[in-house]
Amino acid sequence: MDTIARIRREFFTRGRAIKDIVRDLHVSRNTVCKVIRSGATAFAYEREVQPLPKLGPWRDHLDRMLAANTGKPPRERLTLIRIFEALRGLGYEGDYDAVRRYAKG
């Protein structure tokens, strides 16, 4: 947000060229043009659908493990690391981070 304000200030108030702004602020020319053209003060990118290429076939197993885990008393519950290790034992070749993000989301 600070960068957007600086770009707009440099271009509109000080009348500097796009090329100079790009050089001084170390941002791409496309970014500077986008900020100047639009009236937005902030840009955000949010993915609509999170792809799960490696986790996809294992989601049923993971859902069952998570459901069984929530039914246990707190002291007997498995951590996400243990659940990940159990999935690895079944043949899952993906990353722990994908399992963690899926379980938290």
Side-chain angles (χ1 to χ4, degrees):
M1 184 143 159
D2 182 46
T3 305
I4 294 172
R6 288 178 64 191
I7 291 170
R8 294 178 63 78
R9 189 178 317 113
E10 293 291 326
F11 186 79
F12 291 114
T13 15
R14 296 191 181 141
R16 295 191 58 199
I18 292 173
K19 189 174 186 178
D20 295 334
I21 297 170
V22 167
R23 191 178 309 123
D24 290 345
L25 298 182
H26 304 289
V27 293
S28 74
R29 184 177 180 85
N30 289 342
T31 303
V32 173
C33 290
K34 179 179 173 183
V35 169
I36 291 170
R37 269 191 245 117
S38 71
T41 56
F43 297 111
Y45 169 76
E46 292 198 23
R47 199 179 269 173
E48 292 178 15
V49 176
Q50 177 69 30
L52 301 169
K54 292 211 177 181
L55 189 60
W58 297 96
R59 285 170 55 185
D60 293 334
H61 291 290
L62 183 56
D63 285 337
R64 275 188 256 125
M65 287 179 178
L66 291 171
N69 202 30
T70 55
K72 294 180 180 179
R75 291 183 58 82
E76 294 179 14
R77 288 187 192 146
L78 297 174
T79 62
L80 285 177
I81 293 283
R82 297 289 183 204
I83 292 173
F84 167 71
E85 289 171 352
L87 272 179
R88 291 294 293 241
L90 294 173
Y92 173 66
E93 296 177 356
D95 213 9
Y96 165 71
D97 195 49
V99 173
R100 182 188 56 79
R101 270 186 277 128
Y102 183 79
K104 295 290 182 187

